[in-house]
PDB file of all heavy atoms in Angstrom:
ATOM      1  N   GLY S   1      45.409 -47.616 -52.040  1.00 82.00           N
ATOM      2  CA  GLY S   1      45.553 -46.670 -50.956  1.00 82.00           C
ATOM      3  C   GLY S   1      44.537 -45.559 -50.938  1.00 82.00           C
ATOM      4  O   GLY S   1      44.742 -44.552 -50.247  1.00 82.00           O
ATOM      5  N   PHE S   2      43.449 -45.717 -51.692  1.00 85.00           N
ATOM      6  CA  PHE S   2      42.420 -44.686 -51.673  1.00 85.00           C
ATOM      7  C   PHE S   2      41.047 -45.317 -51.772  1.00 85.00           C
ATOM      8  O   PHE S   2      40.883 -46.435 -52.230  1.00 85.00           O
ATOM      9  CB  PHE S   2      42.630 -43.668 -52.809  1.00 85.00           C
ATOM     10  CG  PHE S   2      42.809 -44.277 -54.170  1.00 85.00           C
ATOM     11  CD1 PHE S   2      41.709 -44.664 -54.921  1.00 85.00           C
ATOM     12  CD2 PHE S   2      44.076 -44.449 -54.699  1.00 85.00           C
ATOM     13  CE1 PHE S   2      41.866 -45.215 -56.180  1.00 85.00           C
ATOM     14  CE2 PHE S   2      44.244 -45.002 -55.960  1.00 85.00           C
ATOM     15  CZ  PHE S   2      43.142 -45.388 -56.699  1.00 85.00           C
ATOM     16  N   GLY S   3      40.055 -44.562 -51.301  1.00 88.00           N
ATOM     17  CA  GLY S   3      38.682 -45.017 -51.360  1.00 88.00           C
ATOM     18  C   GLY S   3      37.977 -44.457 -52.572  1.00 88.00           C
ATOM     19  O   GLY S   3      38.573 -44.338 -53.648  1.00 88.00           O
ATOM     20  N   THR S   4      36.713 -44.082 -52.385  1.00 88.00           N
ATOM     21  CA  THR S   4      35.941 -43.534 -53.494  1.00 88.00           C
ATOM     22  C   THR S   4      36.437 -42.132 -53.806  1.00 88.00           C
ATOM     23  O   THR S   4      36.524 -41.281 -52.911  1.00 88.00           O
ATOM     24  CB  THR S   4      34.451 -43.496 -53.130  1.00 88.00           C
ATOM     25  OG1 THR S   4      34.020 -44.815 -52.796  1.00 88.00           O
ATOM     26  CG2 THR S   4      33.630 -42.973 -54.304  1.00 88.00           C
ATOM     27  N   LEU S   5      36.752 -41.912 -55.057  1.00 92.00           N
ATOM     28  CA  LEU S   5      37.347 -40.640 -55.473  1.00 92.00           C
ATOM     29  C   LEU S   5      36.306 -39.688 -56.063  1.00 92.00           C
ATOM     30  O   LEU S   5      35.314 -40.129 -56.648  1.00 92.00           O
ATOM     31  CB  LEU S   5      38.417 -40.900 -56.539  1.00 92.00           C
ATOM     32  CG  LEU S   5      39.584 -41.791 -56.122  1.00 92.00           C
ATOM     33  CD1 LEU S   5      40.468 -42.086 -57.331  1.00 92.00           C
ATOM     34  CD2 LEU S   5      40.391 -41.134 -55.023  1.00 92.00           C
ATOM     35  N   THR S   6      36.565 -38.420 -55.932  1.00 95.00           N
ATOM     36  CA  THR S   6      35.865 -37.434 -56.747  1.00 95.00           C
ATOM     37  C   THR S   6      36.497 -37.471 -58.128  1.00 95.00           C
ATOM     38  O   THR S   6      37.719 -37.337 -58.258  1.00 95.00           O
ATOM     39  CB  THR S   6      35.981 -36.034 -56.137  1.00 95.00           C
ATOM     40  OG1 THR S   6      35.229 -35.999 -54.919  1.00 95.00           O
ATOM     41  CG2 THR S   6      35.451 -34.971 -57.087  1.00 95.00           C
ATOM     42  N   MET S   7      35.660 -37.680 -59.140  1.00 97.00           N
ATOM     43  CA  MET S   7      36.155 -37.822 -60.507  1.00 97.00           C
ATOM     44  C   MET S   7      35.334 -36.952 -61.442  1.00 97.00           C
ATOM     45  O   MET S   7      34.214 -36.552 -61.122  1.00 97.00           O
ATOM     46  CB  MET S   7      36.088 -39.292 -60.944  1.00 97.00           C
ATOM     47  CG  MET S   7      36.943 -40.205 -60.095  1.00 97.00           C
ATOM     48  SD  MET S   7      36.829 -41.955 -60.548  1.00 97.00           S
ATOM     49  CE  MET S   7      37.607 -41.947 -62.163  1.00 97.00           C
ATOM     50  N   GLY S   8      35.878 -36.708 -62.603  1.00 97.00           N
ATOM     51  CA  GLY S   8      35.140 -35.854 -63.516  1.00 97.00           C
ATOM     52  C   GLY S   8      35.602 -35.967 -64.945  1.00 97.00           C
ATOM     53  O   GLY S   8      36.561 -36.671 -65.261  1.00 97.00           O
ATOM     54  N   TRP S   9      34.870 -35.261 -65.787  1.00 98.00           N
ATOM     55  CA  TRP S   9      35.189 -35.146 -67.202  1.00 98.00           C
ATOM     56  C   TRP S   9      35.384 -33.667 -67.546  1.00 98.00           C
ATOM     57  O   TRP S   9      34.580 -32.816 -67.144  1.00 98.00           O
ATOM     58  CB  TRP S   9      34.058 -35.721 -68.056  1.00 98.00           C
ATOM     59  CG  TRP S   9      33.907 -37.199 -67.943  1.00 98.00           C
ATOM     60  CD1 TRP S   9      33.057 -37.879 -67.129  1.00 98.00           C
ATOM     61  CD2 TRP S   9      34.640 -38.182 -68.679  1.00 98.00           C
ATOM     62  NE1 TRP S   9      33.223 -39.231 -67.302  1.00 98.00           N
ATOM     63  CE2 TRP S   9      34.176 -39.448 -68.260  1.00 98.00           C
ATOM     64  CE3 TRP S   9      35.628 -38.121 -69.663  1.00 98.00           C
ATOM     65  CZ2 TRP S   9      34.681 -40.645 -68.775  1.00 98.00           C
ATOM     66  CZ3 TRP S   9      36.127 -39.305 -70.179  1.00 98.00           C
ATOM     67  CH2 TRP S   9      35.649 -40.550 -69.739  1.00 98.00           C
ATOM     68  N   HIS S  10      36.432 -33.423 -68.278  1.00 98.00           N
ATOM     69  CA  HIS S  10      36.687 -32.112 -68.853  1.00 98.00           C
ATOM     70  C   HIS S  10      36.837 -32.304 -70.361  1.00 98.00           C
ATOM     71  O   HIS S  10      37.003 -33.435 -70.829  1.00 98.00           O
ATOM     72  CB  HIS S  10      37.979 -31.508 -68.294  1.00 98.00           C
ATOM     73  CG  HIS S  10      37.900 -31.123 -66.848  1.00 98.00           C
ATOM     74  ND1 HIS S  10      37.749 -32.027 -65.832  1.00 98.00           N
ATOM     75  CD2 HIS S  10      37.966 -29.898 -66.259  1.00 98.00           C
ATOM     76  CE1 HIS S  10      37.709 -31.396 -64.671  1.00 98.00           C
ATOM     77  NE2 HIS S  10      37.838 -30.105 -64.902  1.00 98.00           N
ATOM     78  N   ARG S  11      36.784 -31.220 -71.095  1.00 98.00           N
ATOM     79  CA  ARG S  11      36.999 -31.329 -72.536  1.00 98.00           C
ATOM     80  C   ARG S  11      37.775 -30.117 -73.037  1.00 98.00           C
ATOM     81  O   ARG S  11      37.739 -29.045 -72.424  1.00 98.00           O
ATOM     82  CB  ARG S  11      35.676 -31.451 -73.298  1.00 98.00           C
ATOM     83  CG  ARG S  11      34.786 -30.229 -73.226  1.00 98.00           C
ATOM     84  CD  ARG S  11      33.430 -30.517 -73.874  1.00 98.00           C
ATOM     85  NE  ARG S  11      32.543 -29.358 -73.842  1.00 98.00           N
ATOM     86  CZ  ARG S  11      31.273 -29.382 -74.198  1.00 98.00           C
ATOM     87  NH1 ARG S  11      30.711 -30.525 -74.624  1.00 98.00           N
ATOM     88  NH2 ARG S  11      30.539 -28.281 -74.147  1.00 98.00           N
ATOM     89  N   GLN S  12      38.464 -30.331 -74.153  1.00 98.00           N
ATOM     90  CA  GLN S  12      39.241 -29.254 -74.758  1.00 98.00           C
ATOM     91  C   GLN S  12      39.077 -29.326 -76.263  1.00 98.00           C
ATOM     92  O   GLN S  12      39.444 -30.321 -76.900  1.00 98.00           O
ATOM     93  CB  GLN S  12      40.722 -29.366 -74.375  1.00 98.00           C
ATOM     94  CG  GLN S  12      41.536 -28.178 -74.813  1.00 98.00           C
ATOM     95  CD  GLN S  12      42.898 -28.150 -74.148  1.00 98.00           C
ATOM     96  OE1 GLN S  12      43.386 -29.152 -73.627  1.00 98.00           O
ATOM     97  NE2 GLN S  12      43.521 -26.986 -74.133  1.00 98.00           N
ATOM     98  N   ALA S  13      38.507 -28.272 -76.810  1.00 96.00           N
ATOM     99  CA  ALA S  13      38.367 -28.153 -78.258  1.00 96.00           C
ATOM    100  C   ALA S  13      39.590 -27.437 -78.817  1.00 96.00           C
ATOM    101  O   ALA S  13      40.284 -26.721 -78.082  1.00 96.00           O
ATOM    102  CB  ALA S  13      37.098 -27.374 -78.588  1.00 96.00           C
ATOM    103  N   PRO S  14      39.878 -27.592 -80.103  1.00 92.00           N
ATOM    104  CA  PRO S  14      41.043 -26.933 -80.700  1.00 92.00           C
ATOM    105  C   PRO S  14      41.017 -25.428 -80.476  1.00 92.00           C
ATOM    106  O   PRO S  14      39.992 -24.776 -80.715  1.00 92.00           O
ATOM    107  CB  PRO S  14      40.917 -27.273 -82.185  1.00 92.00           C
ATOM    108  CG  PRO S  14      40.156 -28.550 -82.217  1.00 92.00           C
ATOM    109  CD  PRO S  14      39.183 -28.461 -81.082  1.00 92.00           C
ATOM    110  N   GLY S  15      42.125 -24.899 -79.978  1.00 94.00           N
ATOM    111  CA  GLY S  15      42.230 -23.469 -79.753  1.00 94.00           C
ATOM    112  C   GLY S  15      41.482 -22.958 -78.541  1.00 94.00           C
ATOM    113  O   GLY S  15      41.431 -21.741 -78.318  1.00 94.00           O
ATOM    114  N   GLN S  16      40.901 -23.862 -77.765  1.00 96.00           N
ATOM    115  CA  GLN S  16      40.122 -23.465 -76.586  1.00 96.00           C
ATOM    116  C   GLN S  16      40.792 -23.975 -75.314  1.00 96.00           C
ATOM    117  O   GLN S  16      41.603 -24.898 -75.344  1.00 96.00           O
ATOM    118  CB  GLN S  16      38.704 -24.031 -76.670  1.00 96.00           C
ATOM    119  CG  GLN S  16      37.943 -23.647 -77.916  1.00 96.00           C
ATOM    120  CD  GLN S  16      37.639 -22.169 -77.974  1.00 96.00           C
ATOM    121  OE1 GLN S  16      37.265 -21.569 -76.959  1.00 96.00           O
ATOM    122  NE2 GLN S  16      37.815 -21.576 -79.136  1.00 96.00           N
ATOM    123  N   GLN S  17      40.398 -23.358 -74.191  1.00 97.00           N
ATOM    124  CA  GLN S  17      40.885 -23.847 -72.907  1.00 97.00           C
ATOM    125  C   GLN S  17      40.117 -25.101 -72.498  1.00 97.00           C
ATOM    126  O   GLN S  17      38.972 -25.299 -72.915  1.00 97.00           O
ATOM    127  CB  GLN S  17      40.702 -22.759 -71.840  1.00 97.00           C
ATOM    128  CG  GLN S  17      41.631 -21.575 -72.007  1.00 97.00           C
ATOM    129  CD  GLN S  17      41.554 -20.625 -70.818  1.00 97.00           C
ATOM    130  OE1 GLN S  17      40.527 -20.524 -70.148  1.00 97.00           O
ATOM    131  NE2 GLN S  17      42.644 -19.933 -70.547  1.00 97.00           N
ATOM    132  N   ARG S  18      40.748 -25.900 -71.673  1.00 97.00           N
ATOM    133  CA  ARG S  18      40.081 -27.070 -71.132  1.00 97.00           C
ATOM    134  C   ARG S  18      38.965 -26.592 -70.189  1.00 97.00           C
ATOM    135  O   ARG S  18      39.171 -25.681 -69.389  1.00 97.00           O
ATOM    136  CB  ARG S  18      41.060 -27.967 -70.384  1.00 97.00           C
ATOM    137  CG  ARG S  18      40.509 -29.328 -70.019  1.00 97.00           C
ATOM    138  CD  ARG S  18      41.594 -30.226 -69.440  1.00 97.00           C
ATOM    139  NE  ARG S  18      42.641 -30.512 -70.420  1.00 97.00           N
ATOM    140  CZ  ARG S  18      43.595 -31.432 -70.227  1.00 97.00           C
ATOM    141  NH1 ARG S  18      43.606 -32.139 -69.098  1.00 97.00           N
ATOM    142  NH2 ARG S  18      44.517 -31.623 -71.143  1.00 97.00           N
ATOM    143  N   GLU S  19      37.798 -27.215 -70.307  1.00 97.00           N
ATOM    144  CA  GLU S  19      36.661 -26.797 -69.491  1.00 97.00           C
ATOM    145  C   GLU S  19      36.011 -27.998 -68.816  1.00 97.00           C
ATOM    146  O   GLU S  19      36.020 -29.121 -69.336  1.00 97.00           O
ATOM    147  CB  GLU S  19      35.614 -26.074 -70.352  1.00 97.00           C
ATOM    148  CG  GLU S  19      34.987 -26.922 -71.437  1.00 97.00           C
ATOM    149  CD  GLU S  19      33.895 -26.203 -72.203  1.00 97.00           C
ATOM    150  OE1 GLU S  19      33.639 -25.024 -71.938  1.00 97.00           O
ATOM    151  OE2 GLU S  19      33.290 -26.847 -73.085  1.00 97.00           O
ATOM    152  N   LEU S  20      35.419 -27.719 -67.671  1.00 98.00           N
ATOM    153  CA  LEU S  20      34.709 -28.747 -66.937  1.00 98.00           C
ATOM    154  C   LEU S  20      33.446 -29.143 -67.682  1.00 98.00           C
ATOM    155  O   LEU S  20      32.711 -28.280 -68.177  1.00 98.00           O
ATOM    156  CB  LEU S  20      34.329 -28.230 -65.551  1.00 98.00           C
ATOM    157  CG  LEU S  20      33.384 -29.118 -64.741  1.00 98.00           C
ATOM    158  CD1 LEU S  20      34.099 -30.388 -64.319  1.00 98.00           C
ATOM    159  CD2 LEU S  20      32.849 -28.362 -63.539  1.00 98.00           C
ATOM    160  N   VAL S  21      33.189 -30.446 -67.750  1.00 98.00           N
ATOM    161  CA  VAL S  21      31.936 -30.951 -68.312  1.00 98.00           C
ATOM    162  C   VAL S  21      31.026 -31.445 -67.185  1.00 98.00           C
ATOM    163  O   VAL S  21      29.880 -31.020 -67.064  1.00 98.00           O
ATOM    164  CB  VAL S  21      32.197 -32.090 -69.312  1.00 98.00           C
ATOM    165  CG1 VAL S  21      30.884 -32.687 -69.803  1.00 98.00           C
ATOM    166  CG2 VAL S  21      33.043 -31.593 -70.486  1.00 98.00           C
ATOM    167  N   ALA S  22      31.559 -32.338 -66.358  1.00 98.00           N
ATOM    168  CA  ALA S  22      30.752 -32.911 -65.272  1.00 98.00           C
ATOM    169  C   ALA S  22      31.667 -33.473 -64.200  1.00 98.00           C
ATOM    170  O   ALA S  22      32.775 -33.926 -64.504  1.00 98.00           O
ATOM    171  CB  ALA S  22      29.829 -34.011 -65.802  1.00 98.00           C
ATOM    172  N   LEU S  23      31.178 -33.422 -62.948  1.00 98.00           N
ATOM    173  CA  LEU S  23      31.885 -33.987 -61.806  1.00 98.00           C
ATOM    174  C   LEU S  23      30.961 -34.920 -61.058  1.00 98.00           C
ATOM    175  O   LEU S  23      29.745 -34.676 -60.993  1.00 98.00           O
ATOM    176  CB  LEU S  23      32.315 -32.886 -60.845  1.00 98.00           C
ATOM    177  CG  LEU S  23      33.480 -31.988 -61.191  1.00 98.00           C
ATOM    178  CD1 LEU S  23      33.633 -30.910 -60.120  1.00 98.00           C
ATOM    179  CD2 LEU S  23      34.762 -32.779 -61.326  1.00 98.00           C
ATOM    180  N   ILE S  24      31.534 -35.954 -60.474  1.00 97.00           N
ATOM    181  CA  ILE S  24      30.800 -36.753 -59.509  1.00 97.00           C
ATOM    182  C   ILE S  24      31.666 -36.840 -58.260  1.00 97.00           C
ATOM    183  O   ILE S  24      32.813 -37.299 -58.300  1.00 97.00           O
ATOM    184  CB  ILE S  24      30.406 -38.144 -60.060  1.00 97.00           C
ATOM    185  CG1 ILE S  24      29.529 -38.886 -59.050  1.00 97.00           C
ATOM    186  CG2 ILE S  24      31.616 -38.962 -60.481  1.00 97.00           C
ATOM    187  CD1 ILE S  24      28.753 -40.055 -59.677  1.00 97.00           C
ATOM    188  N   TYR S  25      31.110 -36.335 -57.164  1.00 96.00           N
ATOM    189  CA  TYR S  25      31.873 -36.266 -55.928  1.00 96.00           C
ATOM    190  C   TYR S  25      31.886 -37.633 -55.233  1.00 96.00           C
ATOM    191  O   TYR S  25      31.070 -38.516 -55.544  1.00 96.00           O
ATOM    192  CB  TYR S  25      31.276 -35.200 -55.006  1.00 96.00           C
ATOM    193  CG  TYR S  25      31.428 -33.797 -55.555  1.00 96.00           C
ATOM    194  CD1 TYR S  25      30.441 -33.218 -56.345  1.00 96.00           C
ATOM    195  CD2 TYR S  25      32.581 -33.056 -55.296  1.00 96.00           C
ATOM    196  CE1 TYR S  25      30.594 -31.940 -56.863  1.00 96.00           C
ATOM    197  CE2 TYR S  25      32.739 -31.782 -55.796  1.00 96.00           C
ATOM    198  CZ  TYR S  25      31.739 -31.233 -56.585  1.00 96.00           C
ATOM    199  OH  TYR S  25      31.906 -29.967 -57.089  1.00 96.00           O
ATOM    200  N   SER S  26      32.778 -37.763 -54.277  1.00 94.00           N
ATOM    201  CA  SER S  26      32.897 -39.041 -53.566  1.00 94.00           C
ATOM    202  C   SER S  26      31.606 -39.400 -52.832  1.00 94.00           C
ATOM    203  O   SER S  26      31.330 -40.577 -52.601  1.00 94.00           O
ATOM    204  CB  SER S  26      34.067 -39.000 -52.587  1.00 94.00           C
ATOM    205  OG  SER S  26      33.922 -37.932 -51.674  1.00 94.00           O
ATOM    206  N   ASN S  27      30.777 -38.390 -52.503  1.00 93.00           N
ATOM    207  CA  ASN S  27      29.509 -38.661 -51.825  1.00 93.00           C
ATOM    208  C   ASN S  27      28.354 -38.898 -52.800  1.00 93.00           C
ATOM    209  O   ASN S  27      27.213 -39.071 -52.378  1.00 93.00           O
ATOM    210  CB  ASN S  27      29.151 -37.519 -50.865  1.00 93.00           C
ATOM    211  CG  ASN S  27      28.892 -36.208 -51.592  1.00 93.00           C
ATOM    212  OD1 ASN S  27      28.934 -36.130 -52.810  1.00 93.00           O
ATOM    213  ND2 ASN S  27      28.633 -35.154 -50.819  1.00 93.00           N
ATOM    214  N   GLY S  28      28.649 -38.880 -54.089  1.00 94.00           N
ATOM    215  CA  GLY S  28      27.632 -39.148 -55.099  1.00 94.00           C
ATOM    216  C   GLY S  28      26.993 -37.924 -55.707  1.00 94.00           C
ATOM    217  O   GLY S  28      26.272 -38.042 -56.713  1.00 94.00           O
ATOM    218  N   ALA S  29      27.213 -36.757 -55.145  1.00 97.00           N
ATOM    219  CA  ALA S  29      26.664 -35.531 -55.734  1.00 97.00           C
ATOM    220  C   ALA S  29      27.298 -35.281 -57.093  1.00 97.00           C
ATOM    221  O   ALA S  29      28.435 -35.700 -57.350  1.00 97.00           O
ATOM    222  CB  ALA S  29      26.914 -34.360 -54.802  1.00 97.00           C
ATOM    223  N   THR S  30      26.560 -34.598 -57.944  1.00 98.00           N
ATOM    224  CA  THR S  30      27.049 -34.323 -59.293  1.00 98.00           C
ATOM    225  C   THR S  30      26.973 -32.836 -59.610  1.00 98.00           C
ATOM    226  O   THR S  30      26.210 -32.083 -58.998  1.00 98.00           O
ATOM    227  CB  THR S  30      26.247 -35.107 -60.348  1.00 98.00           C
ATOM    228  OG1 THR S  30      24.858 -34.749 -60.231  1.00 98.00           O
ATOM    229  CG2 THR S  30      26.407 -36.599 -60.165  1.00 98.00           C
ATOM    230  N   LYS S  31      27.780 -32.449 -60.588  1.00 98.00           N
ATOM    231  CA  LYS S  31      27.807 -31.056 -61.047  1.00 98.00           C
ATOM    232  C   LYS S  31      28.024 -31.091 -62.553  1.00 98.00           C
ATOM    233  O   LYS S  31      28.813 -31.897 -63.044  1.00 98.00           O
ATOM    234  CB  LYS S  31      28.946 -30.301 -60.358  1.00 98.00           C
ATOM    235  CG  LYS S  31      29.124 -28.869 -60.804  1.00 98.00           C
ATOM    236  CD  LYS S  31      30.282 -28.207 -60.051  1.00 98.00           C
ATOM    237  CE  LYS S  31      30.502 -26.779 -60.498  1.00 98.00           C
ATOM    238  NZ  LYS S  31      31.607 -26.131 -59.734  1.00 98.00           N
ATOM    239  N   TYR S  32      27.313 -30.192 -63.254  1.00 98.00           N
ATOM    240  CA  TYR S  32      27.413 -30.144 -64.710  1.00 98.00           C
ATOM    241  C   TYR S  32      27.664 -28.730 -65.199  1.00 98.00           C
ATOM    242  O   TYR S  32      27.195 -27.758 -64.591  1.00 98.00           O
ATOM    243  CB  TYR S  32      26.106 -30.636 -65.356  1.00 98.00           C
ATOM    244  CG  TYR S  32      25.794 -32.083 -65.101  1.00 98.00           C
ATOM    245  CD1 TYR S  32      25.005 -32.465 -64.017  1.00 98.00           C
ATOM    246  CD2 TYR S  32      26.297 -33.071 -65.946  1.00 98.00           C
ATOM    247  CE1 TYR S  32      24.724 -33.802 -63.780  1.00 98.00           C
ATOM    248  CE2 TYR S  32      26.009 -34.411 -65.717  1.00 98.00           C
ATOM    249  CZ  TYR S  32      25.224 -34.766 -64.636  1.00 98.00           C
ATOM    250  OH  TYR S  32      24.950 -36.095 -64.411  1.00 98.00           O
ATOM    251  N   ALA S  33      28.358 -28.635 -66.322  1.00 98.00           N
ATOM    252  CA  ALA S  33      28.447 -27.357 -67.015  1.00 98.00           C
ATOM    253  C   ALA S  33      27.060 -27.023 -67.563  1.00 98.00           C
ATOM    254  O   ALA S  33      26.305 -27.914 -67.962  1.00 98.00           O
ATOM    255  CB  ALA S  33      29.446 -27.454 -68.167  1.00 98.00           C
ATOM    256  N   ASP S  34      26.736 -25.735 -67.603  1.00 98.00           N
ATOM    257  CA  ASP S  34      25.421 -25.326 -68.108  1.00 98.00           C
ATOM    258  C   ASP S  34      25.180 -25.832 -69.526  1.00 98.00           C
ATOM    259  O   ASP S  34      24.053 -26.174 -69.891  1.00 98.00           O
ATOM    260  CB  ASP S  34      25.297 -23.805 -68.075  1.00 98.00           C
ATOM    261  CG  ASP S  34      25.156 -23.263 -66.665  1.00 98.00           C
ATOM    262  OD1 ASP S  34      24.831 -24.041 -65.752  1.00 98.00           O
ATOM    263  OD2 ASP S  34      25.377 -22.055 -66.476  1.00 98.00           O
ATOM    264  N   SER S  35      26.235 -25.886 -70.318  1.00 97.00           N
ATOM    265  CA  SER S  35      26.100 -26.250 -71.729  1.00 97.00           C
ATOM    266  C   SER S  35      25.690 -27.706 -71.952  1.00 97.00           C
ATOM    267  O   SER S  35      25.246 -28.054 -73.044  1.00 97.00           O
ATOM    268  CB  SER S  35      27.403 -25.975 -72.466  1.00 97.00           C
ATOM    269  OG  SER S  35      28.458 -26.723 -71.890  1.00 97.00           O
ATOM    270  N   VAL S  36      25.826 -28.543 -70.915  1.00 98.00           N
ATOM    271  CA  VAL S  36      25.508 -29.973 -71.092  1.00 98.00           C
ATOM    272  C   VAL S  36      24.358 -30.435 -70.204  1.00 98.00           C
ATOM    273  O   VAL S  36      23.931 -31.592 -70.301  1.00 98.00           O
ATOM    274  CB  VAL S  36      26.743 -30.866 -70.862  1.00 98.00           C
ATOM    275  CG1 VAL S  36      27.905 -30.397 -71.741  1.00 98.00           C
ATOM    276  CG2 VAL S  36      27.147 -30.914 -69.404  1.00 98.00           C
ATOM    277  N   LYS S  37      23.868 -29.563 -69.339  1.00 98.00           N
ATOM    278  CA  LYS S  37      22.770 -29.951 -68.447  1.00 98.00           C
ATOM    279  C   LYS S  37      21.571 -30.440 -69.251  1.00 98.00           C
ATOM    280  O   LYS S  37      21.173 -29.816 -70.234  1.00 98.00           O
ATOM    281  CB  LYS S  37      22.358 -28.767 -67.566  1.00 98.00           C
ATOM    282  CG  LYS S  37      23.285 -28.520 -66.406  1.00 98.00           C
ATOM    283  CD  LYS S  37      22.811 -27.338 -65.564  1.00 98.00           C
ATOM    284  CE  LYS S  37      23.766 -27.044 -64.438  1.00 98.00           C
ATOM    285  NZ  LYS S  37      23.380 -25.838 -63.680  1.00 98.00           N
ATOM    286  N   GLY S  38      21.016 -31.550 -68.815  1.00 97.00           N
ATOM    287  CA  GLY S  38      19.861 -32.110 -69.491  1.00 97.00           C
ATOM    288  C   GLY S  38      20.211 -33.021 -70.656  1.00 97.00           C
ATOM    289  O   GLY S  38      19.352 -33.717 -71.195  1.00 97.00           O
ATOM    290  N   ARG S  39      21.477 -33.008 -71.070  1.00 98.00           N
ATOM    291  CA  ARG S  39      21.902 -33.852 -72.201  1.00 98.00           C
ATOM    292  C   ARG S  39      22.908 -34.914 -71.776  1.00 98.00           C
ATOM    293  O   ARG S  39      22.921 -36.012 -72.322  1.00 98.00           O
ATOM    294  CB  ARG S  39      22.524 -32.989 -73.303  1.00 98.00           C
ATOM    295  CG  ARG S  39      21.582 -31.953 -73.890  1.00 98.00           C
ATOM    296  CD  ARG S  39      22.208 -31.273 -75.113  1.00 98.00           C
ATOM    297  NE  ARG S  39      23.429 -30.547 -74.804  1.00 98.00           N
ATOM    298  CZ  ARG S  39      24.618 -30.762 -75.397  1.00 98.00           C
ATOM    299  NH1 ARG S  39      24.728 -31.701 -76.323  1.00 98.00           N
ATOM    300  NH2 ARG S  39      25.666 -30.035 -75.064  1.00 98.00           N
ATOM    301  N   PHE S  40      23.776 -34.566 -70.834  1.00 98.00           N
ATOM    302  CA  PHE S  40      24.823 -35.478 -70.383  1.00 98.00           C
ATOM    303  C   PHE S  40      24.513 -35.945 -68.963  1.00 98.00           C
ATOM    304  O   PHE S  40      23.973 -35.184 -68.148  1.00 98.00           O
ATOM    305  CB  PHE S  40      26.182 -34.771 -70.360  1.00 98.00           C
ATOM    306  CG  PHE S  40      26.751 -34.422 -71.715  1.00 98.00           C
ATOM    307  CD1 PHE S  40      26.014 -34.530 -72.878  1.00 98.00           C
ATOM    308  CD2 PHE S  40      28.063 -33.969 -71.802  1.00 98.00           C
ATOM    309  CE1 PHE S  40      26.553 -34.192 -74.108  1.00 98.00           C
ATOM    310  CE2 PHE S  40      28.625 -33.632 -73.020  1.00 98.00           C
ATOM    311  CZ  PHE S  40      27.869 -33.738 -74.175  1.00 98.00           C
ATOM    312  N   THR S  41      24.895 -37.190 -68.682  1.00 98.00           N
ATOM    313  CA  THR S  41      24.724 -37.741 -67.340  1.00 98.00           C
ATOM    314  C   THR S  41      26.003 -38.432 -66.911  1.00 98.00           C
ATOM    315  O   THR S  41      26.508 -39.309 -67.625  1.00 98.00           O
ATOM    316  CB  THR S  41      23.576 -38.756 -67.304  1.00 98.00           C
ATOM    317  OG1 THR S  41      22.368 -38.128 -67.753  1.00 98.00           O
ATOM    318  CG2 THR S  41      23.360 -39.279 -65.888  1.00 98.00           C
ATOM    319  N   ILE S  42      26.521 -38.029 -65.750  1.00 98.00           N
ATOM    320  CA  ILE S  42      27.696 -38.681 -65.184  1.00 98.00           C
ATOM    321  C   ILE S  42      27.214 -39.675 -64.135  1.00 98.00           C
ATOM    322  O   ILE S  42      26.279 -39.390 -63.375  1.00 98.00           O
ATOM    323  CB  ILE S  42      28.685 -37.654 -64.597  1.00 98.00           C
ATOM    324  CG1 ILE S  42      30.014 -38.304 -64.237  1.00 98.00           C
ATOM    325  CG2 ILE S  42      28.088 -36.906 -63.409  1.00 98.00           C
ATOM    326  CD1 ILE S  42      31.126 -37.304 -63.909  1.00 98.00           C
TER     327      ILE S  42
END
């Protein structure tokens, strides 16, 4: 019942809040946390 979804990765380290790592939107655009730019690819 759904088409292409916006999906992403988050991470949570011990004692830390969950944080965004990377998103890929339904149109193919991407977004990255500053801490992973240039190292991670979604």
Side-chain angles (χ1 to χ4, degrees):
F2 51 82
T4 303
L5 300 173
T6 291
M7 298 178 68
W9 292 96
H10 291 66
R11 66 187 181 188
Q12 188 166 18
Q16 304 293 318
Q17 290 188 332
R18 191 173 296 190
E19 63 176 3
L20 171 69
V21 175
L23 285 176
I24 185 162
Y25 293 92
S26 57
N27 65 2
T30 58
K31 177 180 179 178
Y32 295 92
D34 288 343
S35 59
V36 307
K37 282 181 183 175
R39 299 188 298 123
F40 291 10
T41 303
I42 190 169

